Amino acid sequence: MIQDHEVKFVDLRFTDTVGKEHHVTVPAHTFTADKFEDGHPFDGSSIAGWKNIHASDMLLMPDPDTAVLDPFMEETTLLLTCDVVDPSDGQGYNRDPRSLAKRGETYLKSTGIGDTAYFGPELEFFIFDSVRWHADMAGCFVKIESEEAAWSSKKRYEGGNVGHRPAVKGGYFPVPPVDSLHDIRSAMCMILEELGIPVEVHHHEVANAGQCEIGTRFNSLVKRADWNQVMKYVIHNVALSYGKTATFMPKPIVGDNGSGMHVHQSIWKDGKNLFAGNGYAGMSEMALHYIGGVIKHAKALNAFANPGTNSYKRLVSGFEAPINIAYSASNRSAAVRIPYASSPNHRRIEIRFPDPTANPYLTFTALLMAGLDGVQNKIHPGEPMDKNLYDLPPEEASRVPNTCASLEEALEHLDQDREFLTRGGVFSNDMIDGFIALKTDEVAMLRTTTHPVEFALYYSL
């Protein structure tokens, strides 16, 4: 590809613990076959939650199967996703999310349960015109600008206010001009297709002020996590090229639906979908046990699937948020849904509580490990809840457990319920401890920062 496309630079990319991609670039003429053998050195101490400075040397090992041409760089640039290797032992670094996800795939095969775990996440996101924020000892604020927002009907715009915009919770599927972002989404989809990511659907989502979704095809665990990172890169940069800004923050606006990342998944062996069967909703007993494992460990899974303090502003009742830890067929009020499937090959489960700030490598692997625990220990999920879980009588609702209400609570559950993650050396205790430490710092930052709402509550008392 370097020769055929006269590539000028090779961009080496990797993902940190919190899910943010980083990159380092080398001139194409310096990129030889040795890079796949020897790797590219970098300073691991500069990545939050990784190496100490006295033992900071790390290696990036490029994966040739991930090679694509960057659609945004001015000079022709080849992108390569990398694993992070610790040169002290030549193994994948235990805190590198991609290496961890590979260990998860290896563990699945070692159990004999299946040979492939397929994942299909649905990423929701917002596209704003601009956003500003500030926080220091003198005060703080955040201001979102969106011509499509319901609150913009009163504003004066050069050329006039067009008046066509979604109402609060009124953004699902309206045609243009109410849906003002169709062309931007189409541009995103065209680039994703060029990069080898098949697009299945795109549309405006429920919330006003520019909530969107692009649905892409499922793939095996590591490949699908790679695609998630590519999707974020494309969505951010296409929005920027239109003079707008995209965010995967789950709850950027108050009083309307937040953004989720519903994760479809199934286990296969020898080309056969092991989730298909003759049980409830056409599922196998194994699939139900997999659901049982996810339900059992749901609160610990929240730490990876909902990894920000903002995540728990989405996981509240009243905004279609899947806070009820139960399962059902075609019931979007349950945390685990069994979608309608036209054939046995399409049988799958959908985990609805994750959000798009989740590190896909860690989240998909943690979901797999929870499900495998359910299969190995035959954990039955109980009876399905085929009713609107938001409208249950109080006595019945009290018997349905909820997802965590805060990141702090999720981290406590992860700390206490981690053994299922460490089987086969997939997650290490060191990695889990490092993740908890990073996220505890975020909890402390929010807890110790004065909030404008507190002025409304307490200033005059």
Side-chain angles (χ1 to χ4, degrees):
M1 289 179 70
I2 291 172
Q3 294 172 351
D4 293 346
H5 298 280
E6 299 182 355
V7 167
K8 299 294 189 295
F9 294 96
V10 178
D11 207 50
L12 305 176
R13 301 198 166 184
F14 66 99
T15 298
D16 68 11
T17 302
V18 300
K20 185 65 178 174
E21 267 198 309
H22 300 261
H23 75 141
V24 60
T25 311
V26 299
H29 64 79
T30 70
F31 191 89
T32 64
D34 292 343
K35 287 288 185 187
F36 295 104
E37 298 281 339
D38 303 331
H40 182 85
F42 75 103
D43 176 11
S45 69
S46 296
I47 305 300
W50 281 16
K51 287 282 191 175
N52 290 319
I53 196 166
H54 66 274
S56 58
D57 288 344
M58 306 289 283
L59 293 173
L60 295 176
M61 302 299 291
D63 183 344
D65 290 338
T66 65
V68 291
L69 294 175
D70 188 282
F72 303 107
M73 302 294 185
E74 185 172 338
E75 300 295 340
T76 307
T77 302
L78 185 76
L79 306 184
L80 283 167
T81 299
C82 300
D83 297 317
V84 178
V85 168
D86 191 331
S88 65
D89 59 12
Q91 301 298 310
Y93 178 40
N94 74 313
R95 294 194 183 188
D96 169 38
R98 193 170 192 266
S99 296
L100 184 151
K102 284 188 169 183
R103 293 195 294 273
E105 289 187 318
T106 300
Y107 176 71
L108 169 63
K109 294 175 183 176
S110 75
T111 65
I113 293 171
D115 54 38
T116 308
Y118 284 118
F119 286 79
E122 304 171 1
L123 273 73
E124 297 172 347
F125 55 96
F126 282 87
I127 300 175
F128 299 136
D129 294 341
S130 73
V131 61
R132 295 178 294 124
W133 69 84
H134 180 71
D136 64 13
M137 64 173 59
C140 57
F141 77 92
V142 59
K143 187 66 176 176
I144 294 168
E145 299 289 347
S146 169
E147 189 167 355
E148 193 189 89
W151 65 77
S152 294
S153 59
K154 64 181 180 294
K155 292 189 176 182
R156 293 181 180 274
Y157 289 99
E158 187 177 347
N161 190 320
V162 298
H164 298 292
R165 51 182 56 88
V168 173
K169 296 190 179 184
Y172 196 63
F173 283 19
V175 298
V178 175
D179 175 7
S180 66
L181 301 167
H182 176 91
D183 287 339
I184 297 179
R185 293 195 307 273
S186 292
M188 293 169 177
C189 292
M190 294 293 287
I191 291 178
L192 290 172
E193 291 273 359
E194 290 173 9
L195 297 178
I197 302 177
V199 174
E200 296 182 334
V201 66
H202 78 76
H203 59 85
H204 203 289
E205 257 298 342
V206 173
N208 84 111
Q211 191 183 35
C212 298
E213 179 179 319
I214 295 177
T216 52
R217 187 172 172 80
F218 67 89
N219 209 327
S220 56
L221 192 157
V222 173
K223 289 181 180 177
R224 186 53 253 201
D226 289 343
W227 283 4
N228 255 44
Q229 299 301 76
V230 174
M231 283 188 71
K232 285 189 170 184
Y233 179 66
V234 168
I235 289 167
H236 277 139
N237 281 282
V238 171
L240 195 64
S241 72
Y242 276 78
K244 297 184 181 292
T245 176
T247 181
F248 295 92
M249 188 175 177
K251 194 76 168 184
I253 59 175
V254 179
D256 210 338
N257 285 24
S259 293
M261 182 180 71
H262 308 148
V263 182
H264 298 252
Q265 54 205 272
S266 59
I267 303 294
W268 290 57
K269 187 174 185 179
D270 299 328
K272 180 182 178 182
N273 182 5
L274 302 183
F275 277 17
N278 300 314
Y280 174 76
M283 304 299 281
S284 66
E285 184 179 49
M286 174 185 164
L288 292 177
H289 289 154
Y290 190 100
I291 292 171
V294 171
I295 288 176
K296 176 185 177 181
H297 299 294
K299 288 180 180 287
L301 292 171
N302 281 150
F304 293 117
N306 309 98
T309 58
N310 184 254
S311 298
Y312 299 88
K313 291 178 170 62
R314 166 183 170 254
L315 292 179
V316 295
S317 60
F319 299 95
E320 300 184 27
I323 61 172
N324 300 289
I325 304 175
Y327 77 102
S328 180
S330 302
N331 185 348
R332 286 175 165 81
S333 65
V336 182
R337 185 175 79 99
I338 301 171
Y340 166 77
S342 58
S343 76
N345 280 347
H346 296 156
R347 299 285 182 212
R348 64 197 186 277
I349 66 169
E350 177 192 16
I351 311 299
R352 293 180 59 80
F353 56 79
D355 68 58
T357 54
N359 183 321
Y361 300 102
L362 302 182
T363 301
F364 298 167
T365 308
L367 288 169
L368 173 66
M369 297 300 286
L372 291 179
D373 180 47
V375 174
Q376 291 163 326
N377 292 291
K378 294 182 167 44
I379 300 171
H380 197 276
E383 295 302 312
M385 299 292 289
D386 293 328
K387 57 181 73 175
N388 187 343
L389 299 175
Y390 303 132
D391 292 331
L392 293 178
E395 183 180 344
E396 191 175 358
S398 67
R399 295 196 294 268
V400 180
N402 289 338
T403 53
C404 291
S406 68
L407 178 57
E408 188 171 21
E409 181 187 352
L411 295 174
E412 289 172 357
H413 279 278
L414 174 61
D415 194 22
Q416 297 161 8
D417 179 21
R418 60 167 74 188
E419 186 275 332
F420 74 99
L421 295 167
T422 61
R423 293 174 194 168
V426 177
F427 283 77
S428 67
N429 282 306
D430 174 72
M431 186 275 158
I432 294 171
D433 289 340
F435 180 86
I436 291 173
L438 270 180
K439 291 298 172 176
T440 299
D441 287 345
E442 295 178 16
V443 170
M445 183 180 294
L446 184 68
R447 188 172 59 234
T448 58
T449 300
T450 304
H451 193 285
V453 168
E454 294 175 304
F455 282 82
L457 293 172
Y458 311 123
Y459 191 80
S460 293
L461 290 182

